[in-house]
Every structure is written in C-alpha cells, then in structure tokens.
Amino acid sequence: MRLVFFVGVGIPYGNSDVIPFIDQFAAGGPNGIRAFRLRELGPGANQPIADPSSQRADLNQTGDIRIELNAEYRLDLFSFFEGAVFTDMGNVWLYNDVGGNNPEGVFEFSSFYNQFAVGAGIGLRADFDFILLRFDIGAPVRKPWLSNNEAWSASTLNIFNSTNRRENIRFHLAMGYPF
C-alpha cells in the first residue's frame, strides 16, 4: 500500500499579484488525480472547459494552492506484471482572485474540503527492470463543480452507455510509478 499526501502553496510576492503560469499547480492526469484529465480540475469548483470557444476559454485551470492525497495498493500478478487499485482526491485553488471574475476558484479555509475531487480506478504495470509501463483506468467518484446532491457521481456511472463512458472514464498510459 502506497499513500502520498501533497500540499503545495505558491504565494506571489513583491509587486506581483499572481505567480507565473509555469509555476502554478495543475490537478489531474496520469500522475495526479487519474480519474480526470490533466488540468481538468479547478480552480476550486470551476467546471471543466468543454468548448474552447466558450466565454470561459481564457480561464486556465491551474492554481496557486494544491492539495492531493493518493492511495494505491499494488500486487504482483505474474512474471513482470503488477496490478494496482487506487483512489485519488484533491484539487487546486487560487491564492487570490485577480480581476474579481473567479470567486469560486479562491481558496477558502471554511469550504475548501467541499471542493475536493475524488476518483478511483485500477491499473496494470509491466515492470521490465529498466522501464516500467503503466496503464490506468480511472473514473470520477466526486465531481466538485456539481451541487452537493449531484457531486457524488459514482452511482451515475454507466459503462454500457458510450456517452457516459466518454465523459467519465479516463485512460492513462505512462512510464514509471505515479509516486
């Protein structure tokens, strides 16, 4: 069993209101919350950008604060194959709302825990000693941009419906362990 807890905070200093984009945190992807695409989460309760031509297309889904917890149980299957079962949770937030157009993305100590994304899945690892190939399949259990009644989405997952599968199942092929 592997358990990793990550907390990162970037605070702008001097005459800067924001930290540089390259130094901001992103959530999701093959080494983060694997039930979501890279940069699909956050900041805070913001909904992912489905249409790049939309009004929110300029919103970068990165943040100044990142909290993430990953748990993975690895087991030997046979020869050089390993299996894994995992659960990931977390999100990214903004330190301050520059411009005042993103209040749901700002970190608030009283409510940040309500904006956690939760995902779970399984994986297969091929460990060739000199390289490890990893294939993970994840699905969201909690989507932070939905209301509290709808946020826990595991019950609405339907792998037999192609639209539901496309919107909820994430496949990741990566090299090396995620942590």
Side-chain angles (χ1 to χ4, degrees):
M1 177 75 160
R2 308 284 194 271
L3 187 65
V4 174
F5 182 65
F6 177 85
V7 175
V9 179
I11 300 174
Y13 63 95
N15 63 353
S16 218
D17 290 333
V18 296
I19 62 175
F21 179 75
I22 194 75
D23 293 329
Q24 289 184 328
F25 299 105
N31 295 320
I33 304 169
R34 292 167 274 186
F36 298 90
R37 291 183 188 98
L38 183 61
R39 298 177 195 248
E40 185 177 19
L41 289 172
N46 280 306
Q47 185 169 0
I49 300 170
D51 178 13
S53 64
S54 71
Q55 301 261 340
R56 295 182 55 241
D58 61 337
L59 178 66
N60 291 309
Q61 296 196 217
T62 58
D64 307 320
I65 299 167
R66 178 178 163 199
I67 300 174
E68 191 170 300
L69 176 68
N70 308 92
E72 181 172 290
Y73 179 72
R74 299 175 187 156
L75 58 146
D76 291 330
L77 296 177
F78 57 91
S79 186
F80 51 85
F81 285 106
E82 299 174 354
V85 178
F86 61 85
T87 300
D88 307 316
M89 65 184 288
N91 206 339
V92 295
W93 295 267
L94 300 172
Y95 179 72
N96 55 25
D97 184 15
V98 178
N101 58 358
N102 194 12
E104 63 272 2
V106 177
F107 183 85
E108 296 289 338
F109 192 75
S110 61
S111 63
F112 78 96
Y113 54 88
N114 289 325
Q115 298 173 341
F116 276 172
V118 180
I122 58 174
L124 181 67
R125 284 87 171 98
D127 188 354
F128 299 108
D129 288 333
F130 60 93
I131 190 169
L132 183 123
L133 297 176
R134 178 169 48 95
F135 181 70
D136 290 328
I137 301 172
V141 176
R142 185 175 193 284
K143 297 177 180 178
W145 58 87
L146 298 175
S147 68
N148 282 337
N149 296 340
E150 299 171 350
W152 294 96
S153 60
S155 63
T156 62
L157 182 63
N158 181 358
I159 61 171
F160 301 109
N161 180 311
S162 63
T163 303
N164 189 283
R165 201 172 42 239
R166 189 178 332 79
E167 291 174 359
N168 291 299
I169 305 292
R170 300 292 176 256
F171 300 97
H172 296 287
L173 178 62
M175 293 180 0
Y177 286 116
F179 46 85

